[in-house]
């Protein structure tokens, strides 16, 4: 590299030259050293701040060119994103298998009655709530791929165990442990997305892999429709669902254990000369990757942070209706007068709206500035409209299609859920603080999903009026909390600019990789949009 290139010190000397440029790929770290990689970074080199050694090494290698940035991002997209998508899809299918098993007579086979099915659906989230903080800690402390792989293998086996259940008590125990082992997935993938992608890349990627809830719903509906058309089979149809899903999930667990890397600095499928640059890309978010040692000070900081509670209350608001949608979708549609086969197909149509809305929201939030909270709000308001139709339209044959459309609209709830998780990976610095923030959010998620099925009173079937009212109230609460969150972060950015002056992205990246929280890092600014700030280099 030529000696007339500006050094890192010169990059930091003039904050007035910072400009917005989402296409640059990464902040340019330049020095006089050669681009040769001294050695391959191993896990032993990492230390407690994962990726820090590779990040420091990247400073000696010259700027991350747009071509290199695109090459690295494409490789991650092709190898990592499908794995995330498949994992989330199976997690959703296994969690909601009870929904389809109910349609095929599992409830009767187990001798379940009254609200026992709702309790069986709800106890999953008690196990999830108990175990989730521990899984998030283990994903940071140990090799993430091995932790997630072991979790998937065991929860797949737990799905298989369901076929040997004899009564309601067996169902409750099995569902509890299914929640324990599935608790590693959605929180874990959300945290891990921030290890691989830049802030402006996260919304689209997170909405892609979280669209798995829609794909899972469609696959589950089609699977149920296919099973409903099968001729007489010696194995009860509800058991076939658990046999199929459990076996596939166990195979996935083996794949994750051996092939999912712990981060870009040690990923063997990224060229060794590209690994420092892969870390450099992510470092520009200013939040770091992960730390293997838990920092209790940062953990307590999360509990005092208003962002944590805005996101947690919003998550509770969205999870009450999610608990209804997840466990009663087939039953609600069938209650409108459709056969089991047609109900499955109509549920599939609603899930397609979930996928489409998520991808549109991710594209908009990535392409246009200041649209993340806008997309969340649009999704929330559509849900309010849908639940209002479910709540207030007469339950007569004349309004069957209108009520069905209202139920379909509720599928857009995933927009607010997913982009809310993006806020954690984009705007919370220090892994310990992200773990605690994520844990609080998912505790609220579990509580909401426990409450949701209990609002679907058996005495109100098939209309479930109380559930419809609670769903609408939850979406209104969620919308208010997201608005408060946007105001809080916008005012915080303005206050920091006034107090400290323009942010220096290089120092922000340095501080983030050293494990500072966003409050400790005075050069950090909350991202309300998708564009990052880089320094113009003449």
């Amino acid at each position: 590299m030529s000696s007339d290139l500006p050094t890192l010190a010169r990059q930091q000397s003039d904050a007035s030259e910072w400009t917005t440029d989402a296409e640059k790929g990464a902040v340019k770290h330049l020095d006089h050293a050669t681009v040769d990689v001294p050695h391959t970074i191993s896990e032993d080199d990492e230390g407690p701040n994962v990726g820090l050694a590779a990040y420091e090494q990247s400073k000696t290698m010259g700027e991350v060119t747009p071509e290199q940035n695109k090459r690295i991002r494409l490789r991650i997209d092709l190898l990592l994103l499908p794995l995330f998508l498949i994992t989330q899809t199976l997690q959703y299918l296994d969690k909601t298998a009870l929904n389809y098993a109910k349609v095929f007579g599992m409830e009767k086979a187990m001798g379940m009655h009254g609200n026992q099915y709702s309790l069986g659906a709800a106890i999953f989230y008690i196990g999830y709530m108990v175990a989730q903080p521990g899984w998030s800690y283990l994903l940071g402390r140990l090799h993430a791929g091995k932790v997630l792989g072991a979790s998937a293998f065991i929860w797949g086996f737990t799905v298989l165990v369901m076929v040997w259940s004899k009564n309601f008590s067996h169902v409750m125990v099995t569902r509890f442990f299914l929640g324990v082992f599935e608790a590693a997935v959605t929180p874990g993938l959300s945290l891990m997305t921030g290890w691989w992608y830049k802030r402006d890349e996260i919304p689209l990627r997170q909405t892609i892999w979280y669209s798995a809830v829609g794909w899972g719903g469609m696959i589950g509906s089609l699977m149920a429709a296919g099973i409903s058309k099968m001729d007489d089979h010696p194995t009860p149809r509800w058991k076939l669902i658990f046999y199929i899903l459990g076996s596939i999930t166990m195979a996935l667990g083996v794949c994750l254990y051996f092939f999912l890397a712990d981060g870009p600095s040690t990923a063997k499928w990224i060229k060794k000369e590209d690994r420092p640059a892969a870390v450099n890309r992510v470092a520009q978010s200013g939040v770091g990757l992960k730390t293997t040692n838990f920092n209790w000070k940062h953990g307590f900081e999360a509990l005092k942070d208003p962002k944590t509670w805005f996101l947690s209350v919003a998550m509770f608001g969205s999870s009450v209706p999610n608990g209804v949608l997840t466990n009663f979708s087939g039953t609600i549609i069938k209650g409108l007068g459709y056969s089991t086969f047609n109900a499955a197909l109509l549920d599939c149509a609603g899930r397609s709206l979930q996928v489409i809305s998520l991808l549109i929201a991710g594209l908009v939030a990535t392409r246009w500035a200041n649209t993340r909270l806008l997309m969340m709000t649009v999704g929330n308001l559509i849900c309010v409209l849908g639940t209002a139709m479910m709540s207030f339209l007469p339950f007569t044959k004349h309004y069957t299609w209108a009520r069905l459309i209202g139920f379909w609209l509720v599928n857009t709830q995933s927009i607010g859920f997913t982009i809310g998780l993006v806020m954690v990976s984009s705007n919370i610095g220090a892994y310990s603080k992200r773990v605690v923030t994520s844990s609080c959010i998912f505790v609220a998620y579990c509580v909401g999903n426990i409450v949701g099925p209990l609002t679907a009173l058996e005495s109100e079937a098939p209309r479930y009026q109380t559930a419809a009212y609670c769903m609408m109230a939850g979406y209104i609460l969620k919308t208010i909390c997201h608005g408060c969150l946007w105001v809080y972060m916008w005012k915080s950015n303005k206050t920091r600019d006034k107090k400290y002056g323009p942010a220096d992205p290089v120092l922000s990246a340095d501080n983030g990789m050293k494990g500072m929280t966003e409050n400790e890092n005075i050069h950090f600014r909350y991202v309300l949009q998708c564009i990052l700030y880089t320094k113009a280099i003449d």
Side-chain angles (χ1 to χ4, degrees):
M1 185 174 299
S2 60
S3 60
D4 61 342
L5 292 175
T7 63
L8 179 63
R10 287 180 59 193
Q11 288 184 21
Q12 299 173 356
S13 64
D14 187 1
S16 65
E17 293 180 16
W18 292 99
T19 60
T20 303
D21 188 357
E23 301 300 322
K24 292 292 185 181
V27 174
K28 300 176 180 179
H29 294 290
L30 302 176
D31 204 344
H32 302 296
T34 66
V35 298
D36 294 331
V37 182
H39 67 281
T40 301
I41 299 295
S42 68
E43 294 181 20
D44 293 334
D45 297 319
E46 293 286 356
N49 294 315
V50 174
L52 180 59
Y55 173 68
E56 295 295 341
Q57 188 181 63
S58 72
K59 295 181 182 181
T60 69
M61 297 174 61
E63 65 178 284
V64 180
T65 66
E67 293 76 16
Q68 188 180 24
N69 180 66
K70 290 178 181 179
R71 183 176 69 250
I72 294 170
R73 183 179 61 204
L74 179 61
R75 194 159 187 82
I76 295 172
D77 283 344
L78 292 177
L79 296 176
L80 193 73
L81 207 52
L83 208 53
F84 280 20
L85 178 64
I86 294 169
T87 302
Q88 184 67 34
T89 300
L90 282 171
Q91 187 267 346
Y92 185 82
L93 278 167
D94 293 342
K95 176 178 69 175
T96 58
L98 199 67
N99 182 23
Y100 304 109
K102 174 182 170 67
V103 174
F104 290 110
M106 177 183 175
E107 194 173 16
K108 183 178 179 180
M110 295 294 103
M112 297 166 65
H113 54 82
N115 289 327
Q116 287 185 336
Y117 172 79
S118 294
L119 293 172
I123 198 170
F124 169 92
Y125 293 99
I126 296 177
Y128 198 117
M129 179 171 59
V130 169
Q132 188 274 320
W135 284 116
S136 294
Y137 171 78
L138 289 175
L139 286 168
R141 184 71 181 85
L142 305 174
H143 189 288
K146 290 179 170 53
V147 170
L148 197 58
S151 164
F153 187 86
I154 299 172
W155 105 59
F157 180 74
T158 306
V159 172
L160 284 179
V161 169
M162 187 68 77
V163 303
W164 298 301
S165 297
K166 300 296 184 182
N167 52 47
F168 171 64
S169 298
H170 292 173
V171 172
M172 292 289 283
V173 171
T174 306
R175 288 281 295 177
F176 174 83
F177 282 105
L178 182 64
V180 166
F181 291 105
E182 284 199 21
V185 181
T186 305
L189 295 183
S190 183
L191 291 168
M192 292 170 69
T193 302
W195 304 349
W196 296 90
Y197 291 105
K198 296 160 50 185
R199 284 205 290 189
D200 58 325
E201 298 167 351
I202 290 176
L204 179 58
R205 273 75 186 178
Q206 186 130 342
T207 54
I208 286 173
W209 67 253
Y210 196 73
S211 70
V213 297
W215 293 114
M218 286 189 283
I219 293 169
S221 297
L222 293 173
M223 180 177 65
I227 291 175
S228 72
K229 292 297 183 180
M230 290 177 60
D231 295 330
D232 291 340
H233 195 280
T235 303
R237 294 179 182 181
W238 66 267
K239 288 189 176 183
L240 288 177
I241 293 171
F242 296 116
Y243 277 128
I244 293 168
L245 294 178
S247 301
I248 295 173
T249 302
M250 291 176 71
L252 171 72
V254 175
C255 180
L256 290 172
Y257 188 89
F258 288 105
F259 295 107
L260 182 59
D262 195 38
S265 59
T266 56
K268 295 180 179 179
W269 41 266
I270 296 178
K271 294 180 180 179
K272 67 177 183 179
E273 61 267 23
D274 282 340
R275 291 175 202 168
V279 174
N280 185 290
R281 285 171 14 93
V282 181
Q284 309 319 315
S285 300
V287 297
L289 272 71
K290 74 170 187 175
T291 53
T292 55
N293 294 336
F294 188 83
N295 187 313
W296 288 99
K297 176 185 174 183
H298 292 165
F300 285 120
E301 181 180 315
L303 297 177
K304 297 183 291 184
D305 194 327
K307 299 192 299 298
T308 300
W309 301 110
F310 286 140
L311 288 167
S312 297
V313 175
M315 182 62 78
F316 172 80
S318 68
S319 297
V320 170
N322 184 68
V324 178
L325 181 66
T326 299
N327 296 289
F328 288 88
S329 60
T331 305
I332 290 173
I333 295 175
K334 190 175 179 180
L336 293 174
Y338 298 101
S339 67
T340 299
F341 179 76
N342 288 333
L345 294 181
L346 290 170
D347 190 23
C348 184
R351 299 297 184 172
S352 67
L353 176 62
Q354 192 170 29
V355 173
I356 293 168
S357 63
L358 270 171
L359 297 181
I360 290 174
L363 287 168
V364 171
T366 301
R367 176 64 181 83
W368 286 283
N370 300 307
T371 56
R372 294 187 183 196
L373 268 296
L374 175 63
M375 287 295 97
M376 294 166 73
T377 302
V378 169
N380 294 343
L381 293 178
I382 292 174
C383 289
V384 172
L385 173 62
T387 50
M389 295 169 69
M390 294 172 61
S391 298
F392 303 119
L393 287 176
F395 196 79
T396 63
K397 188 174 182 180
H398 182 71
Y399 289 97
T400 295
W401 271 102
R403 292 181 64 84
L404 178 62
I405 290 171
F407 186 70
W408 280 346
L409 292 177
V410 174
N411 285 286
T412 60
Q413 69 170 355
S414 296
I415 297 174
F417 178 93
T418 309
I419 299 182
L421 296 182
V422 169
M423 290 293 173
V424 177
S425 54
S426 298
N427 286 323
I428 306 295
Y431 185 73
S432 298
K433 184 175 181 180
R434 286 200 297 280
V435 165
V436 174
T437 302
S438 177
S439 296
C440 289
I441 291 170
F442 278 95
V443 165
Y445 166 81
C446 293
V447 173
N449 275 284
I450 292 169
V451 171
L454 301 180
T455 66
L457 305 178
E458 192 67 26
S459 59
E460 295 181 350
R463 182 169 186 170
Y464 297 111
Q465 187 68 60
T466 300
Y469 288 150
C470 291
M471 290 170 74
M472 184 171 63
Y475 290 132
I476 292 172
L477 176 63
K478 178 184 179 184
T479 305
I480 293 171
C481 288
H482 285 163
C484 292
L485 175 66
W486 188 92
V487 171
Y488 174 81
M489 293 192 299
W490 179 80
K491 289 185 68 175
S492 296
N493 281 352
K494 292 294 183 182
T495 300
R496 285 194 165 206
D497 285 341
K498 184 177 180 180
K499 184 175 181 180
Y500 303 116
D504 185 330
V506 173
L507 294 180
S508 177
D510 287 349
N511 294 339
M513 291 301 296
K514 292 174 183 176
M516 288 188 181
T517 69
E518 76 281 10
N519 292 333
E520 296 169 337
N521 186 354
I522 65 173
H523 294 283
F524 182 88
R525 298 294 182 269
Y526 295 115
V527 59
L528 304 178
Q529 68 280 354
C530 64
I531 297 177
L532 299 177
Y533 291 88
T534 58
K535 189 171 190 282
I537 296 195
D538 297 331

